[in-house]
Amino acid sequence: MELLSTNVCFEGEHRRYRHTSATLECDMEFAVYLPPVAVGSRPGKVPVLYWLSGLTCTDQNFMQKAGALKRAAQLGMAIVCPDTSPRGVNLPGEDDSYDFGSGAGFYINATEQPWAPHYRMYDYVVKELPQLIEDELPVSDKRSISGHSMGGHGALICALKNPGRYASVSAFAPIANPTECPWGQKAFKGYLGDNPRSWEEWDATLLIPTARERLPLLVDQGTADEFLDSQLNPDALADACEKFHHHINLRMHRGYDHSYFFIASFIDDHLDHHAKALGL
C-alpha cells in the first residue's frame, strides 16, 4: 500500500492509500479513518465499518461530507471507504455516462466483455480489500457494512450473500430493487447480459426470501428524494422483509433529499447501530 496523504482528525487519522488490485487488474485508491485508539505508539486493533458510496462518488465523498468521524473516534471504530469502480482501465464507453462504467461499478461481478476482467467490485469489497486492510492496518476481522444509494444496494447484497461475515448492515436511500428500476436495469444488462435471471442474485429484495442469515436491516429514506419513486423502491424491500419475517427498520424522513445533507443528519444513528453489533 502506498500512503497518499494523512490528516489528524478528532485525535485519530484520516488516510488515503493506493494499491494494485489483483481482482480489478488496476490501481485503486481508498480512504481509511483510524480512531485514536488505533494510532500512536501502541495501537490497538479496532473493528471496521465498510462504507460503500453511490453513483459518481469516489473514496473521498463520505469522509469529507458525512460528518461521521467524530462519532467514529468516540466509539473506537475504523471506517473504510473504497472507490465506486475501477479507474483508468480504458474500456470503450466507460466514461460516457454517470450511471454506467466509471463511478458506477454497482458492487457486482461483471460477466460480459469488456467489463468482466475489471468490473468485479463485489469481490473487491467483500474479499480483497478487507484482507488487505486486516493484514496491513491495526484493525480486527469484526466488520459491519453500510452505504448510500448504489452503495446502499451494495451493502445490502454483501450482507445478504455472506452470512457470518458482517456483524450488522444499514443503508441510506438504497437502490433496493435494482432489477425493477432504470439504473439497475442499465447496469445489469451491460455488466451481466440480457438474461434477467442472471440479475436476480444481485438484487437485495430478491435475496430476502432465501437469506441464510437475517441481520436486522436499518434503512433511512428521505421523502423528498428525487429518486424515491423512479429508482429506489424501498417499499418492495420492506414488503419482502415482512413476508419472510426479516426484520427491517425502514425510517422515512419528511423533507429530506438524496444528498449528503441527509446522510450527515442521521449518520450517528447508523454508527451507533453498528457499534452495538460490533461490541463497542
Side-chain angles (χ1 to χ4, degrees), residues 1-7 13-21 24 26-34 48-53 57-64 78-85 87 107 121 124-125 128-139:
M1 299 194 313
E2 175 190 358
L3 181 64
L4 301 177
S5 65
T6 183
N7 309 92
E13 291 185 15
H14 168 267
R15 302 176 185 175
R16 296 191 68 240
Y17 288 97
R18 178 187 294 125
H19 76 113
T20 299
S21 167
L24 306 179
C26 65
D27 286 347
M28 293 293 287
E29 296 179 358
F30 63 90
V32 180
Y33 178 70
L34 294 174
V48 182
L49 173 65
Y50 289 86
W51 173 270
L52 306 184
S53 292
C57 289
T58 68
D59 64 281
Q60 299 182 66
N61 298 74
F62 177 85
M63 291 298 196
Q64 296 179 11
I79 301 176
V80 172
C81 295
D83 204 343
T84 53
S85 76
R87 301 286 177 173
Y107 306 102
M121 287 298 294
Y124 178 70
V125 301
E128 184 181 20
L129 184 60
Q131 188 65 60
L132 179 68
I133 296 292
E134 290 161 21
D135 287 346
E136 301 291 337
L137 294 175
V139 303

Short mmCIF file of all heavy atoms in Angstrom, two decimals, residues 1-7 13-21 24 26-34 48-53 57-64 78-85 87 107 121 124-125 128-139:
data_model
loop_
_atom_site.label_atom_id
_atom_site.label_comp_id
_atom_site.label_asym_id
_atom_site.label_seq_id
_atom_site.Cartn_x
_atom_site.Cartn_y
_atom_site.Cartn_z
N MET A 1 0.85 -1.20 0.00
CA MET A 1 0.00 0.00 0.00
C MET A 1 0.89 1.25 0.00
O MET A 1 1.83 1.34 0.77
CB MET A 1 -0.91 0.04 1.23
CG MET A 1 -1.86 -1.14 1.31
SD MET A 1 -3.19 -0.88 2.51
CE MET A 1 -2.31 -0.27 3.94
N GLU A 2 0.53 2.18 -0.85
CA GLU A 2 1.23 3.46 -0.90
C GLU A 2 0.39 4.52 -0.19
O GLU A 2 -0.76 4.75 -0.57
CB GLU A 2 1.46 3.87 -2.35
CG GLU A 2 2.09 5.24 -2.52
CD GLU A 2 2.08 5.73 -3.96
OE1 GLU A 2 1.63 4.97 -4.84
OE2 GLU A 2 2.51 6.88 -4.18
N LEU A 3 0.94 5.12 0.85
CA LEU A 3 0.24 6.17 1.58
C LEU A 3 0.26 7.45 0.76
O LEU A 3 1.33 7.99 0.46
CB LEU A 3 0.89 6.39 2.94
CG LEU A 3 0.24 7.46 3.83
CD1 LEU A 3 -1.18 7.06 4.22
CD2 LEU A 3 1.09 7.68 5.08
N LEU A 4 -0.92 7.97 0.42
CA LEU A 4 -1.03 9.18 -0.40
C LEU A 4 -1.13 10.44 0.45
O LEU A 4 -0.61 11.49 0.08
CB LEU A 4 -2.25 9.08 -1.32
CG LEU A 4 -2.28 7.91 -2.29
CD1 LEU A 4 -3.58 7.89 -3.07
CD2 LEU A 4 -1.08 7.95 -3.24
N SER A 5 -1.83 10.34 1.58
CA SER A 5 -1.99 11.52 2.44
C SER A 5 -2.47 11.07 3.81
O SER A 5 -3.03 9.96 3.95
CB SER A 5 -3.00 12.51 1.85
OG SER A 5 -4.30 11.93 1.79
N THR A 6 -2.26 11.92 4.79
CA THR A 6 -2.77 11.64 6.13
C THR A 6 -3.14 12.95 6.79
O THR A 6 -2.47 13.97 6.60
CB THR A 6 -1.74 10.86 6.97
OG1 THR A 6 -2.31 10.56 8.25
CG2 THR A 6 -0.46 11.66 7.16
N ASN A 7 -4.24 12.94 7.53
CA ASN A 7 -4.73 14.12 8.25
C ASN A 7 -5.14 13.70 9.65
O ASN A 7 -5.91 12.75 9.81
CB ASN A 7 -5.94 14.74 7.56
CG ASN A 7 -5.73 14.99 6.08
OD1 ASN A 7 -6.05 14.14 5.27
ND2 ASN A 7 -5.20 16.14 5.74
N GLU A 13 -6.69 9.44 12.73
CA GLU A 13 -6.07 9.78 11.45
C GLU A 13 -6.96 9.37 10.28
O GLU A 13 -7.46 8.24 10.23
CB GLU A 13 -4.70 9.09 11.29
CG GLU A 13 -3.63 9.62 12.21
CD GLU A 13 -2.27 8.99 11.95
OE1 GLU A 13 -2.10 8.37 10.86
OE2 GLU A 13 -1.40 9.12 12.81
N HIS A 14 -7.11 10.31 9.35
CA HIS A 14 -7.71 10.00 8.06
C HIS A 14 -6.57 9.80 7.06
O HIS A 14 -5.70 10.65 6.92
CB HIS A 14 -8.61 11.15 7.59
CG HIS A 14 -9.04 11.03 6.16
ND1 HIS A 14 -8.35 11.61 5.12
CD2 HIS A 14 -10.07 10.37 5.60
CE1 HIS A 14 -8.95 11.32 3.97
NE2 HIS A 14 -10.00 10.57 4.24
N ARG A 15 -6.58 8.65 6.41
CA ARG A 15 -5.51 8.32 5.47
C ARG A 15 -6.09 7.93 4.12
O ARG A 15 -7.18 7.35 4.05
CB ARG A 15 -4.65 7.15 5.99
CG ARG A 15 -4.02 7.38 7.34
CD ARG A 15 -3.28 6.11 7.78
NE ARG A 15 -2.73 6.23 9.13
CZ ARG A 15 -2.14 5.22 9.76
NH1 ARG A 15 -2.02 4.03 9.16
NH2 ARG A 15 -1.67 5.39 10.98
N ARG A 16 -5.33 8.23 3.06
CA ARG A 16 -5.67 7.74 1.72
C ARG A 16 -4.52 6.89 1.21
O ARG A 16 -3.35 7.26 1.37
CB ARG A 16 -5.97 8.88 0.75
CG ARG A 16 -7.20 9.70 1.14
CD ARG A 16 -7.62 10.64 0.01
NE ARG A 16 -8.13 9.89 -1.13
CZ ARG A 16 -7.59 9.95 -2.35
NH1 ARG A 16 -6.52 10.67 -2.59
NH2 ARG A 16 -8.12 9.24 -3.34
N TYR A 17 -4.87 5.76 0.63
CA TYR A 17 -3.88 4.81 0.13
C TYR A 17 -4.16 4.48 -1.34
O TYR A 17 -5.30 4.59 -1.82
CB TYR A 17 -3.95 3.50 0.91
CG TYR A 17 -3.42 3.55 2.31
CD1 TYR A 17 -4.29 3.73 3.39
CD2 TYR A 17 -2.07 3.39 2.59
CE1 TYR A 17 -3.82 3.74 4.70
CE2 TYR A 17 -1.58 3.40 3.88
CZ TYR A 17 -2.46 3.58 4.94
OH TYR A 17 -1.99 3.60 6.22
N ARG A 18 -3.11 4.03 -2.01
CA ARG A 18 -3.23 3.44 -3.34
C ARG A 18 -2.60 2.05 -3.30
O ARG A 18 -1.60 1.83 -2.61
CB ARG A 18 -2.50 4.29 -4.38
CG ARG A 18 -2.55 3.71 -5.80
CD ARG A 18 -1.68 4.50 -6.76
NE ARG A 18 -2.19 5.85 -6.96
CZ ARG A 18 -1.47 6.97 -6.76
NH1 ARG A 18 -0.21 6.87 -6.35
NH2 ARG A 18 -2.00 8.15 -6.97
N HIS A 19 -3.21 1.12 -4.00
CA HIS A 19 -2.62 -0.22 -4.12
C HIS A 19 -2.99 -0.81 -5.47
O HIS A 19 -3.92 -0.34 -6.14
CB HIS A 19 -3.09 -1.14 -2.99
CG HIS A 19 -4.49 -1.66 -3.16
ND1 HIS A 19 -4.77 -2.98 -3.39
CD2 HIS A 19 -5.69 -1.02 -3.16
CE1 HIS A 19 -6.07 -3.16 -3.50
NE2 HIS A 19 -6.66 -1.98 -3.36
N THR A 20 -2.27 -1.84 -5.87
CA THR A 20 -2.59 -2.55 -7.10
C THR A 20 -3.52 -3.70 -6.77
O THR A 20 -3.18 -4.59 -6.00
CB THR A 20 -1.31 -3.07 -7.77
OG1 THR A 20 -0.46 -1.96 -8.09
CG2 THR A 20 -1.65 -3.83 -9.05
N SER A 21 -4.71 -3.67 -7.35
CA SER A 21 -5.72 -4.70 -7.09
C SER A 21 -5.58 -5.84 -8.08
O SER A 21 -5.70 -5.64 -9.29
CB SER A 21 -7.12 -4.10 -7.19
OG SER A 21 -8.10 -5.12 -7.23
N LEU A 24 -9.24 -6.42 -9.64
CA LEU A 24 -9.72 -5.47 -10.65
C LEU A 24 -8.70 -5.20 -11.75
O LEU A 24 -9.02 -4.53 -12.73
CB LEU A 24 -10.09 -4.14 -9.97
CG LEU A 24 -11.08 -4.24 -8.80
CD1 LEU A 24 -11.34 -2.87 -8.22
CD2 LEU A 24 -12.39 -4.90 -9.22
N CYS A 26 -6.07 -3.28 -11.78
CA CYS A 26 -5.74 -1.86 -11.93
C CYS A 26 -5.35 -1.31 -10.57
O CYS A 26 -5.54 -1.98 -9.54
CB CYS A 26 -6.91 -1.07 -12.51
SG CYS A 26 -8.36 -0.98 -11.45
N ASP A 27 -4.81 -0.11 -10.54
CA ASP A 27 -4.54 0.56 -9.28
C ASP A 27 -5.83 1.14 -8.72
O ASP A 27 -6.66 1.67 -9.47
CB ASP A 27 -3.52 1.68 -9.47
CG ASP A 27 -2.11 1.17 -9.69
OD1 ASP A 27 -1.87 -0.04 -9.45
OD2 ASP A 27 -1.25 1.96 -10.10
N MET A 28 -6.00 1.02 -7.41
CA MET A 28 -7.18 1.55 -6.74
C MET A 28 -6.76 2.42 -5.56
O MET A 28 -5.74 2.18 -4.92
CB MET A 28 -8.06 0.41 -6.24
CG MET A 28 -8.71 -0.42 -7.33
SD MET A 28 -9.93 0.51 -8.30
CE MET A 28 -11.28 0.62 -7.10
N GLU A 29 -7.58 3.42 -5.28
CA GLU A 29 -7.39 4.26 -4.11
C GLU A 29 -8.54 4.06 -3.15
O GLU A 29 -9.67 3.77 -3.56
CB GLU A 29 -7.29 5.73 -4.53
CG GLU A 29 -6.08 6.01 -5.41
CD GLU A 29 -5.97 7.45 -5.87
OE1 GLU A 29 -6.88 8.26 -5.53
OE2 GLU A 29 -5.00 7.78 -6.58
N PHE A 30 -8.24 4.17 -1.86
CA PHE A 30 -9.29 4.06 -0.84
C PHE A 30 -8.90 4.92 0.35
O PHE A 30 -7.75 5.34 0.50
CB PHE A 30 -9.51 2.60 -0.41
CG PHE A 30 -8.32 1.94 0.24
CD1 PHE A 30 -8.14 2.00 1.61
CD2 PHE A 30 -7.39 1.24 -0.52
CE1 PHE A 30 -7.06 1.39 2.22
CE2 PHE A 30 -6.29 0.63 0.08
CZ PHE A 30 -6.13 0.70 1.45
N ALA A 31 -9.89 5.20 1.19
CA ALA A 31 -9.69 6.03 2.38
C ALA A 31 -9.97 5.22 3.62
O ALA A 31 -10.83 4.32 3.62
CB ALA A 31 -10.60 7.25 2.34
N VAL A 32 -9.26 5.54 4.69
CA VAL A 32 -9.43 4.88 5.99
C VAL A 32 -9.44 5.94 7.08
O VAL A 32 -8.61 6.86 7.06
CB VAL A 32 -8.28 3.89 6.28
CG1 VAL A 32 -8.50 3.21 7.64
CG2 VAL A 32 -8.14 2.86 5.20
N TYR A 33 -10.38 5.83 8.00
CA TYR A 33 -10.29 6.61 9.23
C TYR A 33 -9.96 5.65 10.37
O TYR A 33 -10.67 4.66 10.59
CB TYR A 33 -11.59 7.35 9.56
CG TYR A 33 -11.45 8.10 10.87
CD1 TYR A 33 -10.62 9.22 10.95
CD2 TYR A 33 -12.08 7.66 12.03
CE1 TYR A 33 -10.45 9.90 12.16
CE2 TYR A 33 -11.91 8.34 13.23
CZ TYR A 33 -11.09 9.46 13.29
OH TYR A 33 -10.91 10.12 14.48
N LEU A 34 -8.86 5.95 11.06
CA LEU A 34 -8.46 5.17 12.23
C LEU A 34 -8.72 6.01 13.48
O LEU A 34 -8.21 7.13 13.58
CB LEU A 34 -6.99 4.79 12.15
CG LEU A 34 -6.59 3.84 11.03
CD1 LEU A 34 -5.09 3.67 10.97
CD2 LEU A 34 -7.27 2.48 11.21
N VAL A 48 -14.21 -2.57 12.03
CA VAL A 48 -14.28 -1.72 10.84
C VAL A 48 -15.71 -1.64 10.31
O VAL A 48 -16.39 -2.66 10.18
CB VAL A 48 -13.38 -2.27 9.71
CG1 VAL A 48 -13.41 -1.34 8.50
CG2 VAL A 48 -11.95 -2.45 10.19
N LEU A 49 -16.11 -0.41 9.97
CA LEU A 49 -17.31 -0.20 9.17
C LEU A 49 -16.87 0.06 7.74
O LEU A 49 -16.12 1.01 7.48
CB LEU A 49 -18.12 0.98 9.70
CG LEU A 49 -19.31 1.39 8.82
CD1 LEU A 49 -20.37 0.29 8.78
CD2 LEU A 49 -19.91 2.71 9.29
N TYR A 50 -17.33 -0.76 6.81
CA TYR A 50 -17.07 -0.54 5.39
C TYR A 50 -18.22 0.28 4.83
O TYR A 50 -19.39 -0.10 4.94
CB TYR A 50 -16.92 -1.87 4.65
CG TYR A 50 -15.64 -2.57 5.01
CD1 TYR A 50 -15.55 -3.40 6.12
CD2 TYR A 50 -14.48 -2.33 4.26
CE1 TYR A 50 -14.35 -4.00 6.47
CE2 TYR A 50 -13.28 -2.93 4.61
CZ TYR A 50 -13.22 -3.76 5.72
OH TYR A 50 -12.02 -4.34 6.08
N TRP A 51 -17.87 1.42 4.23
CA TRP A 51 -18.88 2.31 3.66
C TRP A 51 -18.77 2.27 2.14
O TRP A 51 -17.70 2.53 1.57
CB TRP A 51 -18.70 3.74 4.14
CG TRP A 51 -19.62 4.69 3.42
CD1 TRP A 51 -19.36 5.37 2.26
CD2 TRP A 51 -20.97 5.01 3.78
NE1 TRP A 51 -20.47 6.10 1.88
CE2 TRP A 51 -21.47 5.90 2.79
CE3 TRP A 51 -21.80 4.64 4.84
CZ2 TRP A 51 -22.76 6.43 2.84
CZ3 TRP A 51 -23.09 5.16 4.89
CH2 TRP A 51 -23.56 6.04 3.91
N LEU A 52 -19.89 1.98 1.46
CA LEU A 52 -19.94 1.92 0.01
C LEU A 52 -20.72 3.13 -0.50
O LEU A 52 -21.89 3.33 -0.15
CB LEU A 52 -20.63 0.63 -0.45
CG LEU A 52 -20.04 -0.67 0.12
CD1 LEU A 52 -20.76 -1.88 -0.49
CD2 LEU A 52 -18.54 -0.76 -0.09
N SER A 53 -20.07 3.93 -1.33
CA SER A 53 -20.67 5.17 -1.81
C SER A 53 -21.49 4.95 -3.08
O SER A 53 -21.47 3.86 -3.67
CB SER A 53 -19.58 6.21 -2.06
OG SER A 53 -18.99 6.61 -0.85
N CYS A 57 -19.46 8.90 -7.07
CA CYS A 57 -18.61 9.19 -5.92
C CYS A 57 -17.25 8.49 -6.04
O CYS A 57 -17.07 7.55 -6.81
CB CYS A 57 -19.28 8.75 -4.62
SG CYS A 57 -20.70 9.77 -4.15
N THR A 58 -16.30 8.97 -5.22
CA THR A 58 -15.02 8.30 -5.02
C THR A 58 -14.91 7.94 -3.55
O THR A 58 -15.88 8.05 -2.79
CB THR A 58 -13.85 9.22 -5.43
OG1 THR A 58 -13.77 10.31 -4.50
CG2 THR A 58 -14.04 9.76 -6.83
N ASP A 59 -13.69 7.59 -3.12
CA ASP A 59 -13.48 7.30 -1.69
C ASP A 59 -13.59 8.54 -0.83
O ASP A 59 -13.71 8.44 0.39
CB ASP A 59 -12.08 6.69 -1.51
CG ASP A 59 -10.98 7.65 -1.90
OD1 ASP A 59 -10.71 7.81 -3.11
OD2 ASP A 59 -10.37 8.26 -1.00
N GLN A 60 -13.58 9.73 -1.43
CA GLN A 60 -13.46 10.95 -0.64
C GLN A 60 -14.79 11.56 -0.21
O GLN A 60 -14.83 12.30 0.79
CB GLN A 60 -12.67 11.99 -1.44
CG GLN A 60 -11.26 11.52 -1.78
CD GLN A 60 -10.47 12.56 -2.53
OE1 GLN A 60 -10.16 13.62 -1.99
NE2 GLN A 60 -10.16 12.27 -3.79
N ASN A 61 -15.87 11.30 -0.91
CA ASN A 61 -17.13 11.99 -0.62
C ASN A 61 -17.60 11.79 0.81
O ASN A 61 -17.92 12.74 1.53
CB ASN A 61 -18.22 11.53 -1.59
CG ASN A 61 -17.89 11.86 -3.02
OD1 ASN A 61 -17.04 11.21 -3.62
ND2 ASN A 61 -18.54 12.86 -3.58
N PHE A 62 -17.67 10.52 1.24
CA PHE A 62 -18.18 10.23 2.57
C PHE A 62 -17.29 10.84 3.64
O PHE A 62 -17.78 11.45 4.60
CB PHE A 62 -18.29 8.72 2.77
CG PHE A 62 -18.75 8.32 4.14
CD1 PHE A 62 -20.10 8.28 4.45
CD2 PHE A 62 -17.84 7.99 5.13
CE1 PHE A 62 -20.54 7.91 5.72
CE2 PHE A 62 -18.26 7.63 6.40
CZ PHE A 62 -19.61 7.59 6.70
N MET A 63 -16.00 10.68 3.52
CA MET A 63 -15.07 11.16 4.54
C MET A 63 -15.19 12.66 4.74
O MET A 63 -15.07 13.17 5.85
CB MET A 63 -13.64 10.78 4.17
CG MET A 63 -13.35 9.29 4.24
SD MET A 63 -13.57 8.61 5.91
CE MET A 63 -12.71 7.04 5.77
N GLN A 64 -15.43 13.40 3.65
CA GLN A 64 -15.44 14.85 3.73
C GLN A 64 -16.82 15.44 4.02
O GLN A 64 -16.91 16.55 4.55
CB GLN A 64 -14.90 15.44 2.43
CG GLN A 64 -13.43 15.09 2.17
CD GLN A 64 -12.91 15.66 0.86
OE1 GLN A 64 -13.56 16.47 0.22
NE2 GLN A 64 -11.74 15.21 0.46
N ALA A 78 -13.03 2.01 13.17
CA ALA A 78 -12.42 2.42 11.91
C ALA A 78 -13.49 2.45 10.82
O ALA A 78 -14.50 1.73 10.88
CB ALA A 78 -11.31 1.46 11.51
N ILE A 79 -13.29 3.31 9.83
CA ILE A 79 -14.16 3.37 8.66
C ILE A 79 -13.30 3.25 7.42
O ILE A 79 -12.28 3.93 7.29
CB ILE A 79 -14.97 4.68 8.61
CG1 ILE A 79 -15.83 4.84 9.86
CG2 ILE A 79 -15.84 4.72 7.36
CD1 ILE A 79 -16.59 6.16 9.92
N VAL A 80 -13.71 2.38 6.51
CA VAL A 80 -13.00 2.19 5.24
C VAL A 80 -13.94 2.54 4.10
O VAL A 80 -15.07 2.03 4.04
CB VAL A 80 -12.50 0.74 5.09
CG1 VAL A 80 -11.94 0.50 3.69
CG2 VAL A 80 -11.44 0.43 6.14
N CYS A 81 -13.47 3.40 3.20
CA CYS A 81 -14.26 3.81 2.03
C CYS A 81 -13.51 3.43 0.75
O CYS A 81 -12.54 4.10 0.39
CB CYS A 81 -14.49 5.31 2.04
SG CYS A 81 -15.48 5.92 3.38
N PRO A 82 -13.94 2.41 0.06
CA PRO A 82 -13.37 2.11 -1.25
C PRO A 82 -13.90 3.06 -2.31
O PRO A 82 -14.85 3.83 -2.07
CB PRO A 82 -13.84 0.68 -1.52
CG PRO A 82 -15.13 0.57 -0.77
CD PRO A 82 -14.97 1.43 0.47
N ASP A 83 -13.31 3.02 -3.48
CA ASP A 83 -13.84 3.73 -4.63
C ASP A 83 -15.09 2.99 -5.13
O ASP A 83 -15.41 1.90 -4.65
CB ASP A 83 -12.77 3.83 -5.72
CG ASP A 83 -12.98 5.00 -6.67
OD1 ASP A 83 -14.10 5.56 -6.71
OD2 ASP A 83 -12.02 5.36 -7.38
N THR A 84 -15.75 3.58 -6.12
CA THR A 84 -17.01 3.01 -6.60
C THR A 84 -16.88 2.22 -7.91
O THR A 84 -17.86 1.67 -8.39
CB THR A 84 -18.05 4.13 -6.80
OG1 THR A 84 -17.48 5.15 -7.63
CG2 THR A 84 -18.45 4.74 -5.47
N SER A 85 -15.68 2.16 -8.46
CA SER A 85 -15.45 1.39 -9.69
C SER A 85 -13.96 1.30 -9.93
O SER A 85 -13.18 2.02 -9.32
CB SER A 85 -16.11 2.08 -10.89
OG SER A 85 -15.34 3.19 -11.32
N ARG A 87 -10.67 2.24 -12.07
CA ARG A 87 -10.31 3.52 -12.71
C ARG A 87 -9.18 3.31 -13.71
O ARG A 87 -8.27 2.52 -13.48
CB ARG A 87 -9.86 4.53 -11.65
CG ARG A 87 -10.89 4.83 -10.58
CD ARG A 87 -12.01 5.71 -11.08
NE ARG A 87 -13.03 5.91 -10.02
CZ ARG A 87 -14.05 6.75 -10.12
NH1 ARG A 87 -14.21 7.47 -11.23
NH2 ARG A 87 -14.92 6.87 -9.14
N TYR A 107 -21.10 -2.71 -7.43
CA TYR A 107 -20.72 -3.73 -6.43
C TYR A 107 -21.17 -5.13 -6.84
O TYR A 107 -21.61 -5.92 -6.01
CB TYR A 107 -21.25 -3.33 -5.06
CG TYR A 107 -20.79 -1.94 -4.67
CD1 TYR A 107 -21.65 -0.85 -4.76
CD2 TYR A 107 -19.49 -1.71 -4.28
CE1 TYR A 107 -21.22 0.44 -4.44
CE2 TYR A 107 -19.04 -0.42 -3.97
CZ TYR A 107 -19.91 0.64 -4.06
OH TYR A 107 -19.47 1.91 -3.76
N MET A 121 -16.35 -5.40 -8.55
CA MET A 121 -16.33 -4.64 -7.31
C MET A 121 -16.87 -5.45 -6.13
O MET A 121 -16.49 -5.21 -4.99
CB MET A 121 -17.14 -3.34 -7.46
CG MET A 121 -16.44 -2.28 -8.30
SD MET A 121 -14.85 -1.73 -7.61
CE MET A 121 -15.39 -0.90 -6.12
N TYR A 124 -14.01 -7.37 -4.83
CA TYR A 124 -13.04 -6.42 -4.28
C TYR A 124 -13.44 -5.97 -2.88
O TYR A 124 -12.62 -6.00 -1.96
CB TYR A 124 -12.93 -5.21 -5.21
CG TYR A 124 -11.98 -4.14 -4.71
CD1 TYR A 124 -10.60 -4.34 -4.69
CD2 TYR A 124 -12.47 -2.92 -4.26
CE1 TYR A 124 -9.74 -3.36 -4.23
CE2 TYR A 124 -11.62 -1.93 -3.80
CZ TYR A 124 -10.25 -2.15 -3.78
OH TYR A 124 -9.40 -1.17 -3.32
N VAL A 125 -14.71 -5.58 -2.69
CA VAL A 125 -15.10 -5.04 -1.38
C VAL A 125 -15.36 -6.13 -0.36
O VAL A 125 -15.21 -5.90 0.85
CB VAL A 125 -16.31 -4.08 -1.49
CG1 VAL A 125 -16.00 -2.92 -2.41
CG2 VAL A 125 -17.56 -4.80 -1.94
N GLU A 128 -11.00 -8.91 -1.30
CA GLU A 128 -9.63 -8.41 -1.43
C GLU A 128 -9.34 -7.23 -0.50
O GLU A 128 -8.32 -7.23 0.22
CB GLU A 128 -9.33 -8.00 -2.87
CG GLU A 128 -7.87 -7.56 -3.04
CD GLU A 128 -7.53 -7.12 -4.46
OE1 GLU A 128 -8.45 -6.79 -5.23
OE2 GLU A 128 -6.33 -7.10 -4.78
N LEU A 129 -10.19 -6.21 -0.50
CA LEU A 129 -9.90 -5.03 0.31
C LEU A 129 -9.90 -5.33 1.80
O LEU A 129 -8.96 -4.93 2.51
CB LEU A 129 -10.88 -3.91 -0.03
CG LEU A 129 -10.61 -2.58 0.69
CD1 LEU A 129 -9.23 -2.03 0.35
CD2 LEU A 129 -11.70 -1.56 0.35
N PRO A 130 -10.87 -6.04 2.35
CA PRO A 130 -10.80 -6.37 3.78
C PRO A 130 -9.55 -7.16 4.16
O PRO A 130 -8.96 -6.93 5.22
CB PRO A 130 -12.08 -7.17 4.03
CG PRO A 130 -13.02 -6.71 2.98
CD PRO A 130 -12.17 -6.46 1.78
N GLN A 131 -9.14 -8.10 3.30
CA GLN A 131 -7.93 -8.87 3.59
C GLN A 131 -6.72 -7.96 3.66
O GLN A 131 -5.87 -8.09 4.55
CB GLN A 131 -7.72 -9.95 2.54
CG GLN A 131 -6.59 -10.90 2.88
CD GLN A 131 -6.88 -11.72 4.12
OE1 GLN A 131 -7.85 -12.45 4.18
NE2 GLN A 131 -6.05 -11.56 5.15
N LEU A 132 -6.64 -7.02 2.72
CA LEU A 132 -5.53 -6.07 2.71
C LEU A 132 -5.56 -5.20 3.97
O LEU A 132 -4.52 -5.01 4.63
CB LEU A 132 -5.63 -5.19 1.46
CG LEU A 132 -4.57 -4.12 1.30
CD1 LEU A 132 -3.21 -4.73 1.03
CD2 LEU A 132 -4.96 -3.15 0.17
N ILE A 133 -6.72 -4.69 4.32
CA ILE A 133 -6.86 -3.82 5.48
C ILE A 133 -6.46 -4.58 6.75
O ILE A 133 -5.73 -4.06 7.60
CB ILE A 133 -8.31 -3.32 5.60
CG1 ILE A 133 -8.70 -2.44 4.39
CG2 ILE A 133 -8.54 -2.57 6.90
CD1 ILE A 133 -8.00 -1.14 4.31
N GLU A 134 -6.95 -5.78 6.89
CA GLU A 134 -6.68 -6.56 8.10
C GLU A 134 -5.22 -6.99 8.20
O GLU A 134 -4.68 -7.14 9.30
CB GLU A 134 -7.63 -7.76 8.16
CG GLU A 134 -9.07 -7.34 8.42
CD GLU A 134 -10.11 -8.40 8.04
OE1 GLU A 134 -9.73 -9.59 7.96
OE2 GLU A 134 -11.28 -8.03 7.81
N ASP A 135 -4.56 -7.16 7.06
CA ASP A 135 -3.15 -7.54 7.06
C ASP A 135 -2.24 -6.37 7.38
O ASP A 135 -1.19 -6.54 8.01
CB ASP A 135 -2.74 -8.13 5.70
CG ASP A 135 -3.29 -9.53 5.47
OD1 ASP A 135 -3.76 -10.16 6.44
OD2 ASP A 135 -3.25 -9.98 4.31
N GLU A 136 -2.62 -5.17 6.94
CA GLU A 136 -1.70 -4.04 6.96
C GLU A 136 -1.99 -2.97 8.01
O GLU A 136 -1.12 -2.15 8.31
CB GLU A 136 -1.67 -3.38 5.57
CG GLU A 136 -1.25 -4.30 4.44
CD GLU A 136 0.21 -4.69 4.52
OE1 GLU A 136 0.99 -3.96 5.16
OE2 GLU A 136 0.58 -5.75 3.95
N LEU A 137 -3.19 -2.95 8.55
CA LEU A 137 -3.57 -1.86 9.46
C LEU A 137 -4.05 -2.43 10.80
O LEU A 137 -4.42 -3.61 10.89
CB LEU A 137 -4.68 -1.02 8.82
CG LEU A 137 -4.27 -0.24 7.56
CD1 LEU A 137 -5.48 0.45 6.94
CD2 LEU A 137 -3.17 0.77 7.86
N PRO A 138 -4.07 -1.61 11.85
CA PRO A 138 -4.47 -2.09 13.18
C PRO A 138 -5.98 -2.24 13.33
O PRO A 138 -6.63 -1.53 14.09
CB PRO A 138 -3.91 -1.01 14.12
CG PRO A 138 -3.92 0.23 13.31
CD PRO A 138 -3.59 -0.20 11.91
N VAL A 139 -6.53 -3.16 12.55
CA VAL A 139 -7.97 -3.43 12.62
C VAL A 139 -8.18 -4.93 12.80
O VAL A 139 -7.33 -5.75 12.47
CB VAL A 139 -8.71 -2.94 11.35
CG1 VAL A 139 -8.48 -1.46 11.12
CG2 VAL A 139 -8.31 -3.75 10.14
#
